[in-house]
Amino acid sequence: MTTNRGRKALMLALSVAAVAGVGLVGGGAAPVAAATLNWGDCDPAVKPLPGQQCATLSVPLDYADPDGEQIGLAVARLRSTRPEARRGTLMVIPGGPGSSGVQRLGQKGAALAKEMNGAYDLVAFDPRGVGGSAKARCGFAEDDRRLVTLRSWPAADGGIGENVARSRRMAEACARNGGAMLRGLTTANQARDLDRLRQALGERKLSAWSVSYGTYVAAVYAQKFPGHTDRWVLDSSSDPDPKRVARGWLAGMARGAEDRFPDFAAWASDPERDEDGLRLAERPEDVRPLFLDLAARLDREPRASTTPGTPLTGTVLRQALQQALYSDAAFPAFARLVSQALDPAGVPVLPPELAGPMPDEAATVSVGVICNDVDWPTSVPAYESAVAAERIRYPLTAGMPANITPCAFWKGGAVEKPTRITDQGPSNVLMIQNLRDPSTPHSVGMRMREAFGDRARLVSVDKGGHGVYLGNGNACGDRAVTRFLTEGVRPAEDVLCR
């Protein structure tokens, strides 16, 4: 038991550490000195924006041994062009696991800088394992790192035998080749890395705009380091349940596809599509059976595509749909793929991301983080039963969200106990969520809202797609986020943008 004198001594130590620029790493590790950043020109390969600077942040490979091996993380920033208006640093936290923060800053930095009008330096980093940061490699076989195999789609008859064999093979490859770098790929470490970056920037607090998986990173940071959060935006959240973590996120995709598909059906049956030859049916209600029938036919008889060695199968078509549902802008290309598949003389053109394998490093991160974060069930019969039930309840996703992954055979299990998100902390979180999100459904995002309690407010947007702020053209939603970040004004209660 800690005495009053002991508590006072601890508080004094914390105060001294803060003044001295020393950080206390989450998880009870010893204090570490703040890192430094030497800013310079960015490598042209990252396609920097005008004025963008880059640096490398040194962080411990293992925070339990802060003075041990260090790794480098790629960092980028766009400085405020109005120093008199600057109020701090806004972190751009990407999705994934496996997305590049540096790349996202390049994609959204110009629009974000315009909205912020000089209020912040905009900063992002590549999480460990990603982009310009230190890499981990499992050495996966080429066929095991295709998107349609990393996503565990069952066989045409619903069997999961191939998924089981592949999952076991991938877990064994990671155990054999991944080493300490692989075990360091966790959401908790990404949050700790973010706090090391905060110290290196010389900031007492950070503001943030996080998207998709990045919202979980942001939530974990807000739980571990609540006193270092300023204005905290979570865009497109999922369920933070510490018992399930990514297993719950995958499960949500089945519901999300059902929520979102009517938007595509309405688009693909609109008479305006006649002009470009992309009208798939006369009525919205006819698009769904057309898609399901086509997928079933391709299960039986795959079609050769323009990519040698990669036919259009029912699984490839279903995965292409998943990606197309993320944005209305992807509807034309998917409708064209469906039209090509329906045409006996057509030759389907696959989306680039489905035409070949992803790099081993990217596949390693996407698998490593979700398997290191939490223990997954190991019973193969339980996965078989779950897939059979899902295929009936959610035919658009055909059992994939409930299927087995390498995490079922992961050596060593979870690296540490997952973080539970609670309502204990400052009330400075703004959540924003589309009503029809194929990846992080609104109903699932509500569980993040419930976990935060009065710490958060939610802006729901009557749109479809994944990603809201500066992404779907809804002025009401954009205005709410911009006003919160620039003026600190948050809705008094949860609101709906129509």
Side-chain angles (χ1 to χ4, degrees):
M1 179 179 291
T2 305
T3 64
N4 286 337
R5 179 176 296 178
R7 281 193 289 270
K8 289 179 180 178
L10 176 60
M11 292 305 296
L12 177 60
L14 289 169
S15 299
V16 170
V19 171
V22 173
L24 287 172
V25 177
V32 292
T36 58
L37 294 168
N38 296 314
W39 296 102
D41 293 337
C42 299
D43 187 319
V46 307
K47 300 179 181 179
L49 294 169
Q52 182 173 320
Q53 298 174 302
C54 288
T56 300
L57 174 71
S58 180
V59 300
L61 174 60
D62 181 357
Y63 276 93
D65 182 18
D67 295 322
E69 182 179 351
Q70 306 291 300
I71 58 174
L73 306 182
V75 184
R77 75 172 175 184
L78 285 172
R79 302 195 74 174
S80 166
T81 57
R82 299 177 61 232
E84 72 281 2
R86 182 187 181 278
R87 65 175 309 276
T89 293
L90 176 66
M91 292 300 309
V92 177
I93 304 177
S99 295
S100 163
V102 173
Q103 185 179 71
R104 183 160 182 82
L105 183 63
Q107 294 166 341
K108 295 291 187 178
L112 185 58
K114 182 178 179 181
E115 290 292 311
M116 297 301 100
N117 195 26
Y120 298 96
D121 293 342
L122 308 180
V123 177
F125 72 99
D126 285 346
R128 48 180 72 197
V130 176
S133 296
K135 301 291 196 300
R137 296 175 178 86
C138 284
F140 294 136
E142 184 174 292
D143 283 347
D144 291 345
R145 44 188 169 87
R146 296 177 182 272
L147 190 53
V148 291
T149 50
L150 281 170
R151 293 278 174 87
S152 266
W153 292 94
D157 63 358
I160 69 169
E162 288 187 17
N163 305 125
V164 172
R166 180 181 298 111
S167 294
R168 191 186 304 276
R169 182 169 64 243
M170 294 177 73
E172 290 172 351
C174 287
R176 186 169 58 248
N177 303 319
M181 184 64 207
L182 174 71
R183 293 294 280 172
L185 300 178
T186 67
T187 300
N189 275 346
Q190 189 170 335
R192 294 177 182 120
D193 291 343
L194 176 55
D195 201 59
R196 287 276 288 189
L197 179 54
R198 174 194 63 79
Q199 296 170 50
L201 292 167
E203 298 283 11
R204 187 174 65 87
K205 293 185 176 184
L206 295 171
S207 292
W209 170 35
S210 59
V211 179
S212 192
Y213 162 71
T215 64
Y216 182 60
V217 176
V220 170
Y221 185 91
Q223 195 67 38
K224 286 182 173 292
F225 306 99
H228 294 308
T229 59
D230 187 9
R231 297 171 184 174
W232 221 239
V233 175
L234 276 62
D235 183 338
S236 306
S237 303
S238 199
D239 186 358
D241 181 358
K243 294 180 180 178
R244 304 181 76 200
V245 193
R247 187 162 58 94
W249 309 338
L250 274 172
M253 294 179 70
R255 176 71 263 163
E258 297 290 338
D259 291 345
R260 173 65 162 150
F261 191 85
D263 290 342
F264 173 71
W267 182 93
S269 58
D270 191 317
E272 290 186 8
R273 304 283 82 77
D274 285 330
E275 297 178 11
D276 47 23
L278 296 180
R279 191 180 185 192
L280 301 180
E282 293 188 359
R283 303 179 304 167
E285 57 266 34
D286 295 330
V287 177
R288 181 186 177 95
L290 179 149
F291 168 80
L292 292 174
D293 178 67
L294 176 60
R297 278 192 281 150
L298 290 170
D299 282 336
R300 298 188 297 270
E301 299 178 9
R303 293 280 301 277
S305 75
T306 55
T307 303
T310 307
L312 177 61
T313 64
T315 291
V316 171
L317 185 73
R318 294 182 187 98
Q319 181 60 54
L321 171 66
Q322 287 296 298
Q323 293 165 247
L325 296 180
Y326 274 48
S327 170
D328 289 5
F331 286 178
F334 181 71
R336 190 169 294 110
L337 177 65
V338 171
S339 296
Q340 292 163 348
L342 290 169
D343 181 357
V347 182
V349 179
L350 301 185
E353 55 272 24
L354 295 180
M358 68 173 61
D360 185 55
E361 298 91 337
T364 296
V365 173
S366 65
V367 171
V369 173
I370 66 172
C371 297
N372 283 333
D373 269 2
V374 68
D375 290 326
W376 289 56
T378 60
S379 169
V380 172
Y383 284 107
E384 289 174 332
S385 297
V387 166
E390 284 264 317
R391 288 171 65 81
I392 296 171
R393 187 179 182 190
Y394 298 115
L396 292 176
T397 47
M400 178 273 291
N403 204 358
I404 199 165
T405 72
C407 304
F409 305 105
W410 203 244
K411 309 302 181 184
V415 172
E416 59 185 286
K417 187 177 180 180
T419 301
R420 178 176 294 278
I421 308 306
T422 75
D423 59 1
Q424 301 301 303
S427 183
N428 61 355
V429 177
L430 180 67
M431 294 176 57
I432 187 164
Q433 200 96 4
N434 283 325
L435 290 185
R436 299 178 302 284
D437 187 317
S439 182
T440 56
H442 188 272
S443 57
V444 178
M446 285 298 294
R447 297 171 195 164
M448 179 75 85
R449 173 70 185 87
E450 292 162 5
F452 271 122
D454 198 48
R455 296 177 70 182
R457 299 291 183 272
L458 173 65
V459 177
S460 300
V461 179
D462 189 7
K463 294 279 286 187
H466 186 54
V468 187
Y469 185 53
L470 304 181
N472 68 7
N474 184 273
C476 169
D478 287 352
R479 187 164 53 247
V481 174
T482 295
R483 192 178 185 200
F484 173 58
L485 289 174
T486 57
E487 302 175 34
V489 177
R490 201 176 56 160
E493 56 187 18
D494 293 354
V495 297
L496 173 64
C497 287
R498 295 196 178 278

